[in-house]
Amino acid sequence: MDILLFGTVGLYFIASVLQFGAVSFKKDALRKASWIVFLIGLAAHTVYLVARGVVAHRLPLSNQFEFACAFAWGVGILLVILGAHYKAPWMAVAAMPMAFLILSYAVLLPREVTELMPALRSAWFGFHIGSAVFAYSAFMLAGATGLRYLIMDRRPDRDTKKLRRMDHLSYRLVALGLFLLTVTILTGAIWAEQAWSSFWTWDPKEVWALITWILYAVYLHLRLRKKHSGRAMAWFVVIAIPVVLFTFAGVNTIMPGLHSYG
């Protein structure tokens, strides 16, 4: 299993380097090679998660290491889906290194397979944590799209049609992420009532999930009610990335609470 894990990290790194080379030298061959390597890495990543789940006899989502592995996998899955549907290969420049860095963070964490603690033995386990994985992934890709928008918007020969597509894609990713984060919070509240007899305990993870939810709800309010778009909204999703990362990892590191296990 370690061979699969570290092999995936290496493949994601090679794919990222090839992608940067393709952009720097404008070589389609490097871009195609990058995608092939990344897809092989994603396949290995999928096999690793399945194998860990089989060994653990549960979904591999019970601690910070497993969540980080799933988070990186979620970024990869959404990248492939968006790349195929929107024909947006430029997103890979940011998303491939993103998957590499998140998985690199994961391998620094304890990797022992452990049994679920009693509070996690619930039918809500997969819904709650799985929706969080893809919510964070959608927010990160929205940030990557916003970053690309800001870079392209500075060019004198910028393509306004392509910029509008990026702006709309970022908006749709935020909408998806906010929906999934809503599912995460609601299922977490139901689960918390069953496990700890309280829908809300003001645990640090809960508080920061709520802060993240409010932040992206403000984004949607500005877009839908105030009709903001373009550069300002691109800055918004880029600046929001540290909040997502803190909710993902920072809370568990410096603010222990009921969610310290994952």
Side-chain angles (χ1 to χ4, degrees):
M1 286 176 65
D2 280 351
I3 292 174
L4 278 172
L5 178 62
F6 286 98
T8 300
V9 174
L11 289 168
Y12 283 171
F13 175 74
I14 294 170
S16 301
V17 172
L18 290 173
Q19 190 65 222
F20 276 115
V23 172
S24 300
F25 300 106
K26 295 180 171 57
K27 297 290 186 180
D28 285 337
L30 288 178
R31 181 174 285 108
K32 290 178 182 177
S34 172
W35 271 104
I36 291 171
V37 173
F38 184 79
L39 290 174
I40 294 171
L42 187 61
H45 196 166
T46 304
V47 172
Y48 174 79
L49 289 174
V50 171
R52 188 175 178 92
V54 170
V55 170
H57 303 290
R58 55 170 173 75
L59 290 173
L61 298 169
S62 72
N63 54 46
Q64 186 72 358
F65 165 73
E66 291 178 349
F67 187 92
C69 282
F71 185 7
W73 181 80
V75 170
I77 290 294
L78 284 183
L79 172 62
V80 171
I81 293 172
L82 292 172
H85 184 70
Y86 285 94
K87 307 299 181 184
W90 47 264
M91 187 179 286
V93 181
M96 287 182 183
M98 195 181 294
F100 163 70
L101 291 172
I102 295 170
L103 194 59
S104 297
Y105 162 75
V107 300
L108 300 176
L109 300 169
R111 299 194 299 277
E112 294 81 6
V113 177
T114 57
E115 291 189 7
L116 284 177
M117 60 184 296
L120 295 181
R121 294 169 188 167
S122 168
W124 295 109
F125 176 70
F127 291 106
H128 177 65
I129 305 176
S131 58
V133 164
F134 283 102
Y136 292 176
S137 300
F139 291 146
M140 293 298 287
L141 289 178
T145 306
L147 182 61
R148 178 67 173 174
Y149 181 101
L150 293 172
I151 293 172
M152 288 193 63
D153 192 45
R154 295 178 62 90
R155 296 178 179 175
D157 59 340
R158 58 184 177 274
D159 185 336
T160 55
K161 184 177 179 180
K162 185 176 290 187
L163 287 173
R164 283 196 298 270
R165 287 183 61 208
M166 289 181 187
D167 182 58
H168 184 65
L169 176 57
S170 181
Y171 154 66
R172 296 191 70 174
L173 283 166
V174 169
L176 172 64
L178 188 63
F179 168 74
L180 291 172
L181 187 58
T182 303
V183 172
T184 301
I185 292 173
L186 291 177
T187 55
I190 297 170
W191 189 3
E193 198 280 330
Q194 294 176 351
W196 300 306
S197 302
S198 176
F199 288 105
W200 191 266
T201 61
W202 294 104
D203 179 72
K205 196 80 166 184
E206 294 174 352
V207 172
W208 276 92
L210 179 60
I211 290 171
T212 305
W213 188 93
I214 292 172
L215 180 68
Y216 284 102
V218 169
Y219 171 93
L220 289 185
H221 171 75
L222 291 174
R223 282 201 68 108
L224 300 176
R225 298 299 297 272
K226 302 297 183 180
K227 305 300 181 183
H228 290 309
S229 62
R231 192 172 183 82
M233 293 293 93
W235 274 112
F236 195 112
V237 291
V238 171
I239 293 172
I241 287 177
V243 178
V244 176
L245 292 177
F246 185 80
T247 304
F248 156 58
V251 173
N252 291 12
T253 304
I254 64 177
M255 303 172 70
L258 292 172
H259 289 77
S260 295
Y261 51 79

